[in-house]
Amino acid sequence: MFVSLRVGLFVRVLVVAAMVAAGLMLVLSSRAEPGAPQGGDRRAGTEQVQANEAAAETRYRVSGTDGAGLNVRACPDADCVKVGWIDEGAPFVGTCWEPGAPVSGNTMWVSGTVDGRTGFISAHYLRPESGVGAPACEDPVDLAR
């Protein structure tokens, strides 16, 4: 009888603790910033995404090509289709980076637009003008294409 009373008390304490924890989670989740992604969801509302895209643009300069310039590629690999060209010293506006084929040990490739075409340039040849690089891309390109 004594053992069954202790188990019953233990169960009641667990139930009360679970209810308090659930109540705290409910209160804390309702206090989240309006418009912020919830529950680990990386997707936000359309307005939030557009604001993030505008803020994510990072200005770079092409450097280290010995004056030869660079091909802009359709995906983050030197074997991908060429979609454009950019001269040494030219500005490049990057929107995000993602991993790709290594170029001199650097696997980062920056996505951006050159002459109206979106493509990738190896980060090995880019220097950010602000000292801060672009953020990581949310949906990396599939290299199997």
Side-chain angles (χ1 to χ4, degrees):
M1 171 107 167
F2 180 69
V3 173
S4 67
L5 287 177
R6 294 192 116 202
V7 171
L9 179 64
F10 180 70
V11 169
R12 279 186 255 151
V13 168
L14 283 177
V15 168
V16 169
M19 290 174 61
V20 168
L24 282 173
M25 288 176 56
L26 184 63
V27 168
L28 292 175
S29 68
S30 68
R31 295 183 63 167
E33 187 175 318
Q38 298 289 320
D41 187 7
R42 293 175 65 184
R43 292 172 283 146
T46 305
E47 302 82 20
Q48 183 86 19
V49 170
Q50 290 171 345
N52 288 345
E53 287 175 357
E57 291 183 347
T58 304
R59 295 189 59 79
Y60 293 91
R61 287 275 172 199
V62 175
S63 175
T65 68
D66 293 326
L70 289 173
N71 289 312
V72 180
R73 303 289 181 163
C75 70
D77 191 315
D79 291 334
C80 290
V81 175
K82 299 174 192 174
V83 294
W85 176 262
I86 190 163
D87 293 319
E88 170 89 19
F92 177 74
V93 178
T95 54
C96 63
W97 70 269
E98 65 182 65
V103 174
S104 297
N106 188 340
T107 60
M108 289 176 60
W109 288 70
V110 179
S111 176
T113 303
V114 175
D115 296 329
R117 293 187 177 151
T118 301
F120 291 88
I121 295 179
S122 171
H124 176 74
Y125 297 105
L126 296 174
R127 304 295 173 262
E129 291 183 352
S130 66
V132 177
C137 298
E138 288 194 25
D139 296 319
V141 170
D142 182 9
L143 290 177
R145 285 192 263 169

